[in-house]
Structures are given as C-alpha cells and as structure tokens.
Amino acid sequence: MIVFLDIDGTLVDYTNHIPDSAGHAIAAARKNGHRVYVNTGRSRAEISAAIWNLDIDGMIGANGGYVESDGEVIFHNKLPLNSVSAFRSWFKQRNIVYYLEANSGLYASDGFEEGARDAVYAYTKPEDRANFTSVLDAFHGIIVGQDKDRDDVNKISYVLNTLEDFEATRDTFPGFEHGTWGGHEGKKLFGDVRPAGISKDIAIHKLLDHLGESIEHTAAFGDAIPDIPMFQVCATGVAMGNATEEVKAEADIVVADVTEDGLAEGFDRLGLL
C-alpha cells in the first residue's frame, strides 16, 4: 500500500512534536513493504530533519506543487516572478504579513514576527500555550531580512487580519488556487495562494503515474479541509480524532487524536503493521 500523510495535526501535533508511536508505525509499515509519503501544505524547506529521519519515501509539498520520490524530483510548479511581485505589493498595501515558501527557505516579510504572533498563538491548543516562545520557532526554515521578488516560490502564506483579507485576495487574483489554514478546530488564521491547478489529489496521481502504481492501493491520513481531496481520490481516507466534523464526514475511518496515537491506530486498522 502507498500511504499519504498530512503533517500538521496528523503526523505532528500542534507543537511540531512527532508522537513516538507514529514513528514506530511508519518504520513497521515500511519494513512490511509499504511506501509512506508526506502530503502537506509545507514546502520542502519546512520539512525538518526529524521528519526525514522517519525514513519516508518522499513528499508531496506546497499542497501539490512539489513531488519528490526516492530523492528524485518528479514535479515542481512555481509562481511566476511577476505574480510574486504583484502579491507582495498587494499584501503590503493591506498591511498583511506573509512568507514566501521556497524549497530553499521560508522568506518572511518585514514585521512578520510581531504581525503573526496572535495567529501562531491561536494555532496552538490552549493547554500548550504556556510553552509558546517565539513566532519564528514555530516555522522550520523561516528566514528574515531577505523578502524580495523571487522566481523559486512554490506558494505564499499570509496572516489573516480578518477573513475579508482572504476573500479580497481571492477575488483580486482569480487565476490562482486559494486556501486557508489554522491549526486545531479548523480555524482560518492564515491564507495561502499557489499556481492554478495545484492540489494534493492531482499530485497523488502524478506520483502514482511515476511509480506505476494503482489508486486502489492507497490510503490518506489528514485532519483539515485541504486533506479532503486526498480522501476523495485515495481508496481509503483516515481522519484524525482532532479533525473537524466536515473532514470526518469525508473519511472512511476515524481514529484517535494525533496526541493519542491516532496515526498508529490507523496504520494498525489498515493492516500495515
């Protein structure tokens, strides 16, 4: 079987911790001949060594804009340089802080650390907020002081001062894919924009075509609305216990919370262990 794992709220909790049981489950599944990929909104720069050390087979990143398998880049679609420039100007006009997601790093706009503080704080569960330290610590691969027009940007994430920021961005730039994300409870704390036609499910088909594998032997794990297309295309969709009700309704299996060994439970129920 080929397994696709969302990262935030699925493989890691909302403090970026990987449960030991998840690591053990992935190792056991791969030992049994199954393949495991992360399928995430994160770009490659935001994939920590701890995740790569799980010995996964590769990744789908940037919500489908980047596909890598066994160290080989299968697909990579980036925002045009003039589009990056237009978005940067738009966000600055609206006093919206953002970061440019490239495989080389996450390039934060001026004022990002202060401007994103409330959103990052709200992203975390209440019981974990006592451990909140720095906005920059929450983003693996974040780089400050290098915000400029770039030709290697996979997508752009930005802080929503209000939901109207997302709606206005979507309406002003209709030729792109737009989404929101926000941690536990499915909150809309951030918006993101990426090239047209980029999604997690389309990227799965690209990877399967490369591997010569069938969709009938796939499973997807997730917790948020961007994961629903994975559920709809894979043979089995597995929702974490911390997923919203909308996401659970689209899944074939619902397991425990990410912090309660839910991923390992799902691997067990699928017979991967």
Side-chain angles (χ1 to χ4, degrees):
M1 180 174 284
I2 301 176
V3 183
F4 298 98
L5 306 177
D6 173 53
I7 292 181
D8 298 283
T10 301
L11 175 59
V12 307
D13 64 21
Y14 299 114
T15 65
N16 266 322
H17 172 71
I18 303 172
D20 290 342
S21 61
H24 295 322
I26 291 171
R30 294 195 73 253
K31 184 177 180 181
N32 288 334
H34 305 288
R35 297 180 71 88
V36 180
Y37 293 84
V38 293
N39 192 343
T40 175
R42 297 189 187 196
S43 290
R44 200 183 195 286
E46 205 175 352
I47 307 300
S48 66
I51 293 175
W52 284 118
N53 288 342
L54 296 173
D55 200 26
I56 55 177
D57 292 281
M59 68 172 290
I60 293 173
N63 277 337
Y66 177 78
V67 183
E68 176 182 327
S69 180
D70 299 318
E72 179 184 357
V73 178
I74 307 305
F75 175 76
H76 194 185
N77 194 2
K78 295 164 283 189
L79 289 167
L81 182 63
N82 62 341
S83 298
V84 173
S85 180
F87 279 114
R88 290 180 64 241
S89 296
W90 165 258
F91 291 138
K92 289 178 180 180
Q93 289 171 11
R94 295 182 66 91
N95 294 316
I96 295 172
V97 296
Y98 59 87
Y99 58 92
L100 310 176
E101 296 188 30
N103 286 350
S104 57
L106 309 180
Y107 299 93
S109 64
D110 292 341
F112 181 80
E113 185 170 10
E114 181 59 33
R117 187 175 303 277
D118 289 348
V120 173
Y121 189 76
Y123 181 96
T124 307
K125 284 187 173 183
E127 58 266 29
D128 295 323
R129 290 174 185 167
N131 299 319
F132 176 79
T133 54
S134 165
V135 165
L136 301 184
D137 289 341
F139 297 90
H140 181 82
I142 198 82
I143 298 170
V144 297
Q146 295 187 34
D147 173 32
K148 61 181 181 180
D149 292 346
R150 308 180 58 90
D151 62 3
D152 61 346
V153 177
N154 301 325
K155 67 187 183 81
I156 305 173
S157 286
Y158 58 98
V159 174
L160 298 176
N161 298 315
T162 69
L163 187 58
E164 199 271 335
D165 287 333
F166 167 74
E167 295 167 346
T169 301
R170 178 194 60 198
D171 294 344
T172 303
F173 298 95
F176 299 85
E177 301 292 341
H178 297 267
T180 62
W181 53 278
H184 78 104
E185 298 178 345
K187 295 177 181 177
K188 297 180 179 180
L189 303 172
F190 294 83
D192 66 43
V193 58
R194 58 194 184 277
I198 296 300
S199 65
K200 289 185 173 186
D201 56 323
I202 293 175
I204 287 175
H205 283 297
K206 291 181 183 296
L207 177 58
L208 293 177
D209 287 345
H210 169 76
L211 296 173
E213 297 287 352
S214 169
I215 200 73
E216 282 75 25
H217 304 294
T218 58
F221 286 66
D223 73 306
I225 289 175
D227 301 320
I228 290 177
M230 289 201 298
F231 293 174
Q232 293 173 336
V233 72
C234 287
T236 305
V238 183
M240 307 301 290
N242 44 282
T244 63
E245 292 306 313
E246 180 179 1
V247 175
K248 290 177 181 177
E250 296 288 340
D252 301 293
I253 299 171
V254 178
V255 295
D257 192 291
V258 60
T259 60
E260 298 172 353
D261 304 323
L263 189 139
E265 177 192 338
F267 273 47
D268 186 32
R269 291 176 65 176
L270 290 174
L272 305 178
L273 305 185

